[in-house]
Amino acid sequence: MDKSLIKLKVEERTIDESAKPLLERTLEEGIETAWDRLEKQQPQCGFGQLGLCCNRCSMGPCRIDPFEKDGPKRGVCGADADLIVARNLLDDLVTGAAAHSDHGREVVETLLMTAEGKSQGYEILDKEKLYTVAKEIGITTEGRNDTDIAKDIALSFLEEYGTIKNSIDLSKRAPEPTQDKWAKAGILPRSVDREIVEAMHRIHMGVGADYANILLHGLRASLSDGWGGSMMATEVSDILFGTPEIKESWVNLGTLKEDMVNIVLHGHNPVLSEMVVKAVKEQEMVDLAKQKGAKGINLVGMCCTGNELLMRRGIPIAGNLLNQELALATGAVDVMIIDYQCIFPSITQVASCFHTKIVSTSEKSKVPGAVHMEFHPETAYDTAKNIVKLAIETYEQRNPDRVKIPAKPVKMMAGFSVEAIKKALGGTFQPLIDAIANGSIKGAVGMVGCNNPKIKQDYGHVTLGKELIKRNILVVETGCAAIASGKAGLLLPEAADLAGDGLKSVCHALGIPPVLHMGSCVDCSRILVLAAELAKALNVGIDQLPLAGAAPEWYSQKAVSIASYFVASGVYTVLGLPPKIFGSKNVIDLLTSGLNDVVGATYAVEPGPVAAADLIEKHIDSKRKDLGI
Ligand code: BF8
């Protein structure tokens, strides 16, 4: 490919400076990445984009003519555009809710095994949270030892997935006016598996034809994720591995080291990655790495398991979704360990251009071309050590001439759990509430979600983030959004200089950045808890607060679930890419306006970050006016 064309493509694809030289390498050497595959997919199917293709049953696939023409207006079964679009959306949403919640279940099962003495290498690290959660869900703590309490929490949480309790305990964390809205709309979440199974039932042919009824169940299922599966993942991970505290670390592809064994931890569940962190500290491992000529072992994260490690351990993070193939293209990764979710099936192809080994660890998530070393809590530590040994052996096969680590890492601050934020504020949320009331901080936005090659990598997050802080709107982030901000330097206290005067002075006084990293995607539950705390302090519902959500570069079904539980909880949420709903005007109307009467919030779609900031500011201004501040 022509050099100038390569340069042009690179500039179109990312704003991440550490990614650019590697993108250049992939284009020069013909290593295929997600961007190349997106190009090859053009033009993408218009029916699919509009949500008008129904492939559920073997009378189909059917598609609806989106124009006022003579084409089909109903599928073979008689489903119209509204129903087909609604069923497709519900399918996406509960796929995401299932992914979060099944991850949560594995963490809870690990707590149970730990309490029963059946796991290897785990312990209860945050006793304070153990007691807080126990009291909250009605488990006696007096005179009992930690493992008995932990066992009761685990068993109680496992029942949140089933049908025995018929209501999710942690959803009672929401302020009463919000819970009242759910009750009135008939969307109080009962249990995680139940809502998801019922959703799969509802999208079967012939189970209802009312699009609004289908979508309402979507909200209910999303609440079982946000206030259920995801929240349990967060809380139990905190109990096992510690609640995050504010700390400094490093981010971007420059976190890989030329003279060290590089292990990238990619995926989502800290149950795996925490054990690898333990294993690399073993003197035996460090000595072995040195014997093979390395200076030591360098562990870096990728995507959300990276966020989990960053938040709790300060482990540097190499990048977000679109960095995964580029990390491999450095030729410096010895082993990439994966569990599940957001792992491109192509990574073994990229790895095969170098000495790199991909190690899959979950029975649920095998990848052709990967070495499979199955991970179970009972043998977790031994498996972690074996993987680290494999990485050290693989380091010997590295070709130094192929190594290209292009940039210096950027410093960042992370660890802003709700508890850490409260501590930074002096032990109470009152200073934050005062700052919001006096207008120094206008409001807050939860910016979440992914990268998507349809948008220049990180551009959506970084541009919207800068626009919001300039307008004195505090930004809290999770997932790949937070990693994008880290790479752009927005997670540093110095970034407060880019903020409006009010937010700037608050950040300077507290020594915090204007964009706060709150964790992985399941940790969007931390954003819900923060919103609930603020609402309760003001005696209002979440929908009355000057808050908004944003997902400027989302791609995944999990993001559909997150956006939905934000909206269902009363948080107006702006998406940077359109969901596949534009084939139904009725569905668009319900989601972008009708839901206001049901949950006090709606979705919006706005691809332009500045225009999205305008929408959000207008919304926040109107909420402030309603509150009389
Ligand atoms: O759960 S933000 S690309 S890594 S889906 Fe995936 Fe999206 Fe990243 Fe984490 Ni979340």
Side-chain angles (χ1 to χ4, degrees):
M1 200 184 293
D2 179 71
K3 278 250 177 241
S4 55
L5 184 59
I6 289 179
K7 288 260 177 247
L8 198 72
K9 280 198 176 205
V10 167
E11 291 304 322
E12 275 172 1
R13 288 178 175 188
T14 187
I15 64 163
D16 173 356
E17 291 301 328
S18 76
K20 288 180 182 176
L22 292 159
L23 253 173
E24 227 172 284
R25 168 181 256 188
T26 61
L27 289 163
E28 276 164 9
E29 297 186 14
I31 302 170
E32 195 183 72
T33 62
W35 290 279
D36 304 316
R37 292 188 291 272
L38 176 64
E39 272 183 16
K40 288 182 186 162
Q41 285 292 336
Q42 298 309 315
Q44 288 180 305
C45 171
F47 294 98
Q49 282 175 328
L50 296 172
L52 286 175
C53 173
C54 183
N55 198 15
R56 310 202 163 276
C57 82
S58 69
M59 292 192 284
C62 298
R63 53 193 198 178
I64 302 298
D65 180 358
F67 305 108
E68 301 294 315
K69 295 235 173 88
D70 299 334
K73 293 289 171 230
R74 288 183 183 268
V76 177
C77 71
D80 61 8
D82 298 337
L83 181 57
I84 289 174
V85 167
R87 283 195 307 214
N88 286 342
L89 185 65
L90 180 59
D91 193 350
D92 274 358
L93 188 161
V94 292
T95 301
H100 279 148
S101 301
D102 200 40
H103 153 179
R105 187 196 325 261
E106 286 191 5
V107 186
V108 177
E109 284 172 344
T110 306
L111 180 68
L112 181 61
M113 280 187 231
T114 304
E116 291 176 339
K118 291 180 186 161
S119 70
Q120 188 191 37
Y122 300 96
E123 57 194 311
I124 292 161
L125 272 191
D126 190 341
K127 300 203 169 143
E128 200 179 325
K129 184 152 265 194
L130 179 85
Y131 280 78
T132 311
V133 170
K135 282 188 192 127
E136 205 181 345
I137 63 173
I139 287 166
T140 316
T141 54
E142 251 169 65
R144 304 184 70 205
N145 64 35
D146 294 347
T147 48
D148 288 346
I149 297 167
K151 186 174 172 179
D152 281 358
I153 291 178
L155 289 172
S156 176
F157 275 0
L158 286 174
E159 277 179 15
E160 302 277 44
Y161 285 87
T163 50
I164 295 173
K165 289 202 313 207
N166 217 20
S167 83
I168 292 181
D169 282 342
L170 294 178
S171 69
K172 315 229 166 48
R173 287 179 169 182
E176 264 175 36
T178 302
Q179 290 189 54
D180 290 347
K181 276 202 157 65
W182 296 341
K184 207 165 149 218
I187 58 169
L188 274 167
R190 291 162 295 180
S191 62
V192 180
D193 289 357
R194 178 174 193 156
E195 304 309 358
I196 294 169
V197 170
E198 186 174 315
M200 298 314 288
H201 181 187
R202 282 170 181 245
I203 59 178
H204 190 280
M205 201 293 282
V207 185
D210 178 344
Y211 72 94
N213 197 38
I214 298 255
L215 293 174
L216 266 189
H217 184 72
L219 294 188
R220 188 177 211 178
S222 74
L223 290 172
S224 79
D225 170 7
W227 298 87
S230 281
M231 202 169 278
M232 287 189 275
T234 297
E235 295 298 71
V236 178
S237 296
D238 284 355
I239 290 172
L240 281 171
F241 309 120
T243 300
E245 290 174 2
I246 300 170
K247 53 182 62 67
E248 281 182 353
S249 187
W250 301 91
V251 58
N252 82 19
L253 292 162
T255 54
L256 294 165
K257 299 282 171 253
E258 219 168 300
D259 48 7
M260 295 176 93
V261 175
N262 287 308
I263 301 177
V264 178
L265 275 156
H266 179 19
H268 284 78
N269 200 329
V271 160
L272 163 72
S273 48
E274 282 280 345
M275 222 29 68
V276 179
V277 174
K278 261 195 176 179
V280 296
K281 286 190 189 138
E282 277 242 357
Q283 197 54 44
E284 180 199 344
M285 297 294 152
V286 178
D287 292 345
L288 193 61
K290 286 189 177 156
Q291 253 175 45
K292 304 286 181 194
K295 278 204 177 139
I297 306 168
N298 181 40
L299 200 59
V300 300
M302 172 74 60
C303 289
C304 280
T305 211
N307 279 326
E308 300 269 354
L309 295 179
L310 169 73
M311 292 284 287
R312 296 196 180 87
R313 309 267 165 261
I315 304 275
I317 191 159
N320 45 8
L321 184 84
L322 285 172
N323 287 120
Q324 59 186 293
E325 291 170 307
L326 303 180
L328 298 170
T330 59
V333 176
D334 301 301
V335 157
M336 178 181 271
I337 308 174
I338 57 171
D339 53 18
Y340 39 57
Q341 298 169 22
C342 303
I343 292 153
F344 286 148
S346 61
I347 53 172
T348 45
Q349 276 171 291
V350 182
S352 71
C353 302
F354 303 89
H355 74 298
T356 310
K357 287 197 169 70
I358 306 292
V359 176
S360 58
T361 55
S362 167
E363 194 272 329
K364 292 169 194 168
S365 175
K366 295 186 179 176
V367 181
V371 181
H372 189 67
M373 297 172 82
E374 205 159 297
F375 199 84
H376 297 281
E378 300 93 317
T379 48
Y381 194 53
D382 289 344
T383 312
K385 281 209 305 198
N386 288 337
I387 302 175
V388 174
K389 271 188 205 150
L390 177 71
I392 298 169
E393 282 157 18
T394 309
Y395 168 80
E396 281 191 297
Q397 294 153 28
R398 196 194 286 176
N399 177 357
D401 298 337
R402 294 279 286 146
V403 172
K404 182 172 184 166
I405 300 172
K408 295 249 173 300
V410 173
K411 208 175 187 184
M412 73 193 300
M413 210 180 233
F416 289 91
S417 58
V418 176
E419 293 82 349
I421 294 173
K422 198 171 177 183
K423 203 165 146 196
L425 290 167
T428 150
F429 290 109
Q430 200 53 47
L432 179 59
I433 292 166
D434 292 345
I436 293 173
N438 71 28
S440 322
I441 296 178
K442 249 191 182 191
V445 168
M447 196 179 341
V448 302
C450 324
N451 289 141
N452 185 322
K454 291 178 180 175
I455 290 186
K456 194 191 283 198
Q457 185 192 15
D458 297 349
Y459 171 79
H461 297 301
V462 173
T463 317
L464 179 56
K466 284 183 177 167
E467 266 310 311
L468 292 171
I469 61 172
K470 204 160 78 187
R471 303 174 193 209
N472 290 313
I473 295 168
L474 176 73
V475 180
V476 295
E477 296 192 335
T478 60
C480 289
I483 304 169
S485 293
K487 287 186 274 178
L490 295 178
L491 301 187
L492 287 168
E494 299 88 282
D497 292 335
L498 303 173
D501 287 344
L503 179 59
K504 192 196 298 182
S505 65
V506 174
C507 290
H508 281 326
L510 296 170
I512 58 168
V515 179
L516 305 180
H517 191 334
M518 290 190 76
S520 65
C521 281
V522 292
D523 292 336
C524 289
S525 64
R526 297 193 201 273
I527 299 178
L528 292 181
V529 172
L530 183 61
E533 292 281 343
L534 296 179
K536 282 187 228 169
L538 291 168
N539 228 355
V540 297
I542 293 176
D543 63 304
Q544 290 166 277
L545 294 172
L547 298 182
E553 300 180 35
W554 74 278
Y555 93 89
S556 89
Q557 296 106 318
K558 289 180 287 173
V560 178
S561 181
I562 296 169
S564 302
Y565 67 66
F566 272 15
V567 169
S569 302
V571 180
Y572 168 74
T573 298
V574 183
L575 307 173
L577 286 133
K580 291 170 261 171
I581 59 168
F582 281 75
S584 163
K585 187 172 176 312
N586 283 332
V587 170
I588 297 172
D589 288 348
L590 179 64
L591 298 184
T592 58
S593 103
L595 284 182
N596 242 333
D597 298 332
V598 185
V599 288
T602 63
Y603 308 75
V605 179
E606 178 47 67
V610 177
D614 289 343
L615 284 178
I616 288 169
E617 190 177 26
K618 197 169 148 218
H619 170 80
I620 283 176
D621 282 343
S622 82
K623 292 291 166 184
R624 293 184 63 86
K625 199 167 155 225
D626 291 348
L627 282 172
I629 54 176

